Amino acid sequence: MSSSSPSGLMARSALQFTVLAECSTTKARASTMVLPHATVETPVFMPVGTQGTLKGLLPDQLLALDCRLILGNTYHLGNRPGVSTLKQAGGLHRFMNWPRALLTDSGGFQMVSLLDLAQITEDGVKFRSPYDDSECMLTPEHSMEIQASIGADIMMQLDDVVDATHADPERFEEARHRTVRWLDRCLKAHQRPDRQNLFPIVQGGLDVDKRKDCARRLIERDTPGFAVGGLSGGEAKDDFWRMVHVSTNELPKNKPRYLMGVGFAVDLVVCSALGIDMYDCVFPTRTARFGSALIMKHPGALNLKARAFRLDFDPIDQECPCFTCQNHSRAYIHSIIHEPSACHLITVHNVAFQLRLMKTIRQNILADTFPQFIQSFMLANYPDKKYPMWAINALQAVGVQLS
Amino acid sequence: MSRRTHLLPGPYGQSWTTPLLLTSLKGGAVPHLTKETLAYMEIEPAFLAPAAPIVQQTEVLEKYQKGLTSFLGLPHQFSLMTPLDPSVPDRPGFHTQKSVALWHNGNKTSVTPEMYMRGVIAAQPSAFVALCDSETPVGASNKRKGKAVSKSLDFLDRCLLMKASEPRLSDSLIFGAIEGGYDAQCRAFSAKETVQRPVDGFLIDGFHTNGVTSGDLIWSDAQPLLQSILKALPDSKPRLYQGSCSPKMTLDLIEIGIDMFESSYVFHETEAGHGLIFPNTLKPVTSPDNGCHASLDKKVDFLDLKDPQFKDDFSPIHQSCTCYSCRKHTRAYINHLLATKEMLGPVLLMIHNLHHYQIFFRTIRECCETDSISALRALI
């Protein structure tokens, strides 16, 4: 696909992004994103396959769901199986036998969130290996080397991650500037721009001006897409949506925008209205392991461990086309809830749920019925109309009233 | 040597040729697999369903009405319901005069023949073993062994009576259990009495206490007893053996006349992170590489795929295997999945190991037809 790119300029990018339709009310858009391993329809949700596997599902099960883009975590994959094995295998696609597209994070987020002892310096993130206790350093160059061995269609820059609820404004200032400097080091170390895309990450904490400034400086680097980072970390939802809103206002319309770590159904609907194209989150697969099956209406999920489902012979969702809903009842899943097989059945359904929700969002954008869809979706999820204030505010900002 | 093949009638006009492998369910699923992933492999649609999860939700199956296999999403498949789960170690000391303790997920249910039959009627299995007492571990007292036999016969009579008066079970086969532990007299009595009853087959029970240790059967102790029991049984009725059976033990048991097995061996090997590679066909192995540093004269039944030696081994589990896992994935990938404790590791191993063991049974049936089981034995 990239080999067919006509000009020298295009050859620098392994991604073609085409906006097919824009919502006439909100900032939502429906697009196609052509990647080396798949053509992805956006808005898209990417299920998370941290360690080179999507939580018990065979790659063929993901293909059956028409999943086209999944996420892997660089920090974990760099540790196990490691760069040497990935290189010998010919990259993660071949190692895990996944023929479609992959996105990898930079490893920085895990480093800071998982490791107490991580220390950030100008050079990179210094940490003690949890495996052999040796001192390691993840630099922008090293992150790019691991991501090159993984061979994902989209790679993320190493960014200086600060918890959005962090109190120290000086630390945010430092992180914002350092993120731009690290982007330049990542771009320099990026070996295969014709096969892999590098996305920078908009930081800037919860400060409107700093978000804008960070976005503007990243845009100057002319990368194939952008991520909005540093959110979904426990900040107030009203801060969260404003930062998304500010970021998408700054980012160019002709490139994909990826909101990291977001995956609740309501968030996906609202943030799509704010102009986000890509999402990832562990939530749907993690909650499946706790027996929770997602549904399109209030209360949003069924806890299949509950005895209430003992005699419930309906599928999780009558309208869901997934294998689980076509073949099994809530009562059956409840009866095997302690077996790994139950987790597999719910994981299939929850991934199908996310993909189906995104497809519905996209179809409504294409038909220019997205505002009406938002209203009916919100009503189904909040039948008492007690909508969360942040969602009311966010949707109002893009011209949709919840009444 | 004795060689037996016979057709076992199934529901919906199916029939199976023995020696037959039943795939053991755990809870209500093939361990680690689902209907969707089972569809990626060819497997005999014949299952062993331990009774505990069934009797604990008799009420659910009664309301559901369409029987166990439909409830599991495996309709129209052969199912044999049996009192104990052969993959789970027994917990001795909980039986009473009138009941047998069945355990599931840490919950004990004391099951009487009446409760058991209520579960059978709700589950509508193709076949079932009558409720029995198999608590006769090595070293059990004579009194205990005698009790196990008399109680099992009493339970069998009551199950037979209830079956006879239940039209919904008119097509279900009933198996009687031969009990008595390691006691020739008890065994002879149990066999003689059970044969006189209108059963359709036999469970050769009570030689071990289930779980992974069932594979450690001391053959020299069990063999003479097994042989005399099997001689006392009519050739025309199938004999089921439950417990972990290595390839060699499987052939030993077939040779003395066992017809039906179950797959707990495959489950235990999968849980241990092993990939089966023992010779399961008569075809000469084209590649000498068994992927093991073991010397060639040492036969290995499996590879320990947790071993770091497979970290960069991009070959399939077994060179000539055509299963889904071997067609699609490598030892290196499975090694990684096991090292990271990812759920897909046991999924891929279960698919391969179950496939490998099924092919072994297919070969055994072919060998029975051509009288060449000794050729297979020479490879094991």
Side-chain angles (χ1 to χ4, degrees), chain B residues 214-257:
Chain B
S214 62
D216 305 333
L217 201 72
I218 299 169
W219 188 241
S220 54
D221 292 346
Q223 198 261 357
L225 286 167
L226 283 163
Q227 202 139 28
S228 58
I229 294 165
L230 292 165
K231 269 188 191 147
L233 303 181
D235 259 349
S236 58
K237 293 178 179 178
R239 302 93 176 257
L240 166 69
Y241 178 87
Q242 294 179 173
S244 180
C245 288
S246 67
K248 181 173 180 309
M249 189 160 137
T250 304
L251 292 180
D252 285 341
L253 286 167
I254 285 170
E255 192 158 316
I256 62 169

Side-chain angles (χ1 to χ4, degrees), chain A residues 272-283:
Chain A
S272 294
L274 297 174
I276 293 291
D277 305 301
M278 303 162 65
Y279 307 87
D280 81 284
C281 190
V282 295
F283 167 70

Side-chain angles (χ1 to χ4, degrees), chain A residues 307 310-311 313, chain B residues 54-64 118 122:
Chain A
R307 248 185 102 78
R310 230 168 90 88
L311 295 168
F313 302 115
Chain B
I54 296 170
V55 295
Q56 286 182 5
Q57 52 176 346
T58 296
E59 184 203 346
V60 176
L61 290 168
E62 282 173 346
K63 284 244 162 64
Y64 180 69
R118 199 180 143 196

Side-chain angles (χ1 to χ4, degrees), chain A residues 50-53 55-61 64 77 80-82 84-85 88-89 95-97 289 307 310-311 313 323 327-329 331-332 335-336 338-341 343-345 348, chain B residues 26-37 40 56-57 59-60 63-64 71-73 104-105 311-312 314 324 327-330 332-333 336-337 339-340 342-344 347-348 351:
Chain A
T50 298
Q51 315 202 82
T53 158
K55 297 302 159 201
L57 302 197
L58 299 167
D60 277 339
Q61 290 179 280
L77 292 164
R80 292 183 305 199
S84 158
T85 299
Q88 288 178 65
F95 184 66
M96 67 181 288
N97 198 10
R289 298 201 289 285
R307 248 185 102 78
R310 230 168 90 88
L311 295 168
F313 302 115
F323 193 97
N327 288 276
H328 299 291
S329 64
Y332 171 62
S335 77
I336 60 162
H338 298 294
E339 303 295 331
S341 306
C343 172
H344 300 325
L345 291 175
V348 165
Chain B
K26 200 150 182 59
V30 178
H32 302 290
L33 302 184
T34 63
K35 183 180 184 179
E36 185 180 17
T37 45
Y40 288 111
Q56 286 182 5
Q57 52 176 346
E59 184 203 346
V60 176
K63 284 244 162 64
Y64 180 69
F71 183 67
L72 306 181
H104 180 53
N105 289 332
K311 193 175 178 331
D312 296 324
F314 299 105
Y324 180 89
R327 279 186 286 116
K328 300 269 186 172
H329 295 288
T330 62
Y333 185 52
H336 165 70
L337 295 173
T340 51
E342 283 284 348
M343 300 181 81
L344 190 60
V347 170
L348 292 176
I351 290 175

